[in-house]
Amino acid sequence: MKKSILDFRAMVERGEKIVWLTGYDYLTAKYEERAGVDMILVGDSLGNVLLGYDTTYPVTMEEMLIHCKAVRRGAPDTFVIGDMPYMSYQISDEQAVANAGRFTKEALCDAIKLEGGGEEICKRIRAIASVGILTFGHIGLTPQFAAQMGGYKAQGRSADAARRLLDEALRIQDAGACAILVEGVPDIVGELIAKKLSIPTLGIGAGSKTDGQLLIFADMLGYYDNFTPKFVKKYAELGKEMERAFREYCDDVRAGRFPVD
Ligand code: KIV
């Protein structure tokens, strides 16, 4: 049965970890649901992993919706979060609510996620949450702010920076977010934020003490090999296995071993 936000809150109270993976397509989502993941994020990281962009900046609403719909079909009984792409919520509250609504109305996502913890972003969170859409915040290493951060760099590494992150997290919670993702921060900062917040606090590259864990499925499968963050544990070498199989097929066809009469 599909878990709801109430189930996730109850899991946190019981000290049970929430398991979260990204997924971008029908088949991956199907296997993730069969394996029992609690949530699937249709992340704008699909821009890097599936579409071959260097950053997430070019990803559009239309691209996100196509992938969210495919994931919904593959995992009808899993909580799916649609990631709001760059410039789909930054301009105004109206734009943010309209685009968040497309994720829930057209793609049947259960929630949306957006990046940042500044005052303007918190206004967007408040506006989206006020129309009844479950909203996940995302702070720390936020790829849509990579230009301002000077690249994909760990965040919250000084006492001041950690305090600023905690302030952002509290502001996001006050604005009405139902959960928050903390990315690329020292373990102790992930732990501190999880302790201080009453909403579920998920982490990616934020240590082991958050309420749950997210990984990009293509990193943990060894499928995306352009770059693998240090904190990733690889559970497979899918890319290498695909290349081996493709090579064997090439050899077989060229040598006349396939097809056979
Ligand atoms: O787009 C995404 O997959 C994300 C993760 C990098 C956290 O937001």
Side-chain angles (χ1 to χ4, degrees):
M1 204 177 70
K2 194 205 282 187
K3 293 193 171 81
S4 74
I5 190 65
L6 298 183
D7 295 309
F8 298 129
R9 283 186 203 140
M11 286 172 77
V12 175
E13 269 176 25
R14 291 195 298 267
E16 278 172 35
K17 294 281 186 184
I18 300 168
V19 182
W20 197 10
L21 273 178
T22 68
Y24 314 124
D25 66 286
Y26 166 79
L27 272 182
T28 309
K30 188 163 85 172
Y31 295 131
E32 289 177 346
E33 179 163 296
R34 281 188 196 163
V37 305
D38 296 312
M39 303 175 178
I40 298 176
L41 171 67
V42 186
D44 63 352
S45 53
L46 65 82
N48 305 78
V49 174
L50 288 195
L51 305 178
Y53 299 136
D54 287 336
T55 67
T56 55
Y57 291 127
V59 177
T60 65
M61 272 300 297
E62 303 313 318
E63 286 165 341
M64 288 306 303
L65 290 172
I66 288 171
H67 289 281
C68 286
K69 287 177 189 173
V71 166
R72 180 79 291 162
R73 288 191 288 269
D77 293 326
T78 303
F79 192 93
V80 171
I81 299 115
D83 205 10
M84 298 196 68
Y86 182 62
M87 283 302 146
S88 69
Y89 58 94
Q90 283 87 347
I91 294 168
S92 66
D93 287 356
E94 288 72 20
Q95 182 213 27
V97 172
N99 280 326
R102 294 191 70 193
F103 278 99
T104 52
K105 191 174 168 73
E106 295 176 33
L108 305 180
C109 287
D110 299 290
I112 60 92
K113 171 174 89 57
L114 46 76
E115 296 183 14
E119 283 181 10
E120 277 301 300
I121 298 295
C122 288
K123 272 183 67 198
R124 306 289 180 268
I125 292 174
R126 198 176 292 285
I128 297 169
S130 75
V131 298
I133 297 175
L134 290 172
T135 307
F136 281 49
H138 178 177
I139 58 168
L141 196 178
T142 40
Q144 293 181 24
F145 289 81
Q148 276 186 347
M149 295 185 306
Y152 297 92
K153 293 186 186 338
Q155 300 294 303
R157 300 183 68 192
S158 67
D160 274 355
R163 203 167 300 119
R164 275 198 302 276
L165 276 182
L166 177 60
D167 287 346
E168 286 186 359
L170 290 166
R171 202 158 47 209
I172 286 170
Q173 174 174 271
D174 286 350
C178 68
I180 191 165
L181 172 66
V182 183
E183 175 170 3
V185 300
D187 298 12
I188 192 167
V189 178
E191 181 177 2
L192 175 75
I193 294 175
K195 271 203 181 123
K196 295 281 180 194
L197 264 56
S198 55
I199 55 175
T201 303
L202 292 305
I204 175 166
S208 62
K209 302 287 194 306
T210 54
D211 301 321
Q213 182 63 47
L214 171 68
L215 276 182
I216 293 189
F217 90 91
D219 288 338
M220 55 90 79
L221 289 185
Y223 186 34
Y224 183 72
D225 69 352
N226 294 19
F227 170 74
T228 307
K230 272 191 289 194
F231 60 81
V232 169
K233 176 172 173 184
K234 277 199 192 168
Y235 290 82
E237 286 291 357
L238 203 59
K240 288 194 181 126
E241 181 56 13
M242 287 171 76
E243 189 177 324
R244 185 206 57 74
F246 295 147
R247 205 181 295 281
E248 201 175 308
Y249 171 68
C250 291
D251 291 346
D252 277 357
V253 171
R254 289 182 187 128
R257 286 189 295 269
F258 179 84
V260 286
D261 293 334

